[in-house]
Amino acid sequence: MQNSAPRKFAVIATRNRPEILADAVMSIRPQVDIVYIIDNGDTDRVPDPEEGSGIDVIRIVPGEVNLSRFWNIGLACAEGAVLSAQRNADPWTVEVTDDDMWEVAVINDDPILPEGWFDAIVKAMREAGAAAGCSDPNGSLQRPMLHTTPGPVGLATRMCGWAHIHAGEKGLRYDEDLKWWFGDDDMDWQSREAGGTIMIPGFAVVNRFPDGQFTPELHEQSNRDREYFAQKWNGLVPW
């Protein structure tokens, strides 16, 4: 890959929490080349970034609720940026080759990422040949843990839903039929099939406001997501 091509990305979906979002962006921006903010809130809550800031705000229909779709938009943007920079071509008309490698962090809008988080996880992922990675949010791991088989595991060692990283060239996408919960768990299990999901010790990322926007409507959607997940994975659910 040419040095000029972006290789490190972050995707953050957000809705009407600009102060919280600012903290998350400030923590991850120094660690990556480009941050994609997927904003489905009021259009005046997240200002347009300055040119050359390495931040891109993508505004979608206000009020729409489909986290998997939002994350997929970011993953597609990252892929397009890599391929267009590498080939100097239309990103939608070129194909990924074995020489292409890039990473995309998908994080909520409320955590603060510790310094060195991105590179530490990517190093472990690449050494293990994993498709996804995260850090231990509970501080209990003594050594990296790699899962390569879909299925329930101890909750403390499943992929951290609010802050994880993809090997972008794997081309995995979130299942958009999982609109609120379980999209990250489904991606965890997909990643295990594609090479593994690895969790490293240290670099804990706190989910500061986990239920800050959990409405009765989203509770109902979560129940539907759970039912769909079980149907997709032969009756198994992650928790």
Side-chain angles (χ1 to χ4, degrees), residues 160-219:
C160 180
W162 56 88
H164 52 273
I165 299 177
H166 297 268
E169 74 279 359
K170 296 287 187 179
L172 299 180
R173 292 295 185 266
Y174 295 88
D175 187 332
E176 295 185 13
D177 286 327
L178 295 165
K179 297 182 178 182
W180 185 247
W181 277 6
F182 296 97
D184 53 322
D185 294 296
D186 179 77
M187 178 57 74
D188 180 10
W189 292 17
Q190 287 189 61
S191 297
R192 296 183 205 177
E193 291 184 321
T197 299
I198 195 166
M199 176 181 285
I200 67 170
F203 301 94
V205 180
V206 177
N207 193 13
R208 295 189 294 163
F209 306 100
D211 297 318
Q213 297 181 317
F214 196 54
T215 65
E217 292 77 15
L218 292 178
H219 180 74

Side-chain angles (χ1 to χ4, degrees), residues 76-92:
C77 287
E79 180 175 296
V82 170
L83 297 184
S84 61
Q86 176 130 334
R87 312 288 202 283
N88 192 25
D90 180 348
W92 311 118

Side-chain angles (χ1 to χ4, degrees), residues 52-201:
S53 66
I55 300 172
D56 189 2
V57 176
I58 300 162
R59 305 188 193 279
I60 55 180
V61 178
E64 179 184 11
V65 177
N66 191 328
L67 279 175
S68 293
R69 182 174 300 157
F70 304 160
W71 292 332
N72 282 343
I73 290 171
L75 291 177
C77 287
E79 180 175 296
V82 170
L83 297 184
S84 61
Q86 176 130 334
R87 312 288 202 283
N88 192 25
D90 180 348
W92 311 118
T93 63
V94 295
E95 296 181 355
V96 177
T97 72
D98 291 340
D99 295 328
D100 293 311
M101 296 178 69
W102 68 95
E103 297 87 30
V104 188
V106 172
I107 65 175
N108 288 3
D109 64 0
D110 62 343
I112 298 177
L113 287 302
E115 184 178 354
W117 175 85
F118 191 98
D119 286 344
I121 294 172
V122 168
K123 182 176 185 293
M125 286 171 54
R126 294 308 185 181
E127 288 177 350
C134 65
S135 58
D136 170 20
N138 301 295
S140 58
L141 279 187
Q142 300 300 313
R143 60 183 63 86
M145 177 171 290
L146 179 69
H147 291 302
T148 58
T149 303
V153 296
L155 292 182
T157 64
R158 69 188 181 101
M159 188 176 75
C160 180
W162 56 88
H164 52 273
I165 299 177
H166 297 268
E169 74 279 359
K170 296 287 187 179
L172 299 180
R173 292 295 185 266
Y174 295 88
D175 187 332
E176 295 185 13
D177 286 327
L178 295 165
K179 297 182 178 182
W180 185 247
W181 277 6
F182 296 97
D184 53 322
D185 294 296
D186 179 77
M187 178 57 74
D188 180 10
W189 292 17
Q190 287 189 61
S191 297
R192 296 183 205 177
E193 291 184 321
T197 299
I198 195 166
M199 176 181 285
I200 67 170

Side-chain angles (χ1 to χ4, degrees), residues 215-229:
T215 65
E217 292 77 15
L218 292 178
H219 180 74
E220 293 178 2
Q221 182 61 55
S222 299
N223 290 334
R224 291 191 291 270
D225 289 344
R226 185 181 181 87
E227 292 176 2
Y228 172 75
F229 189 101

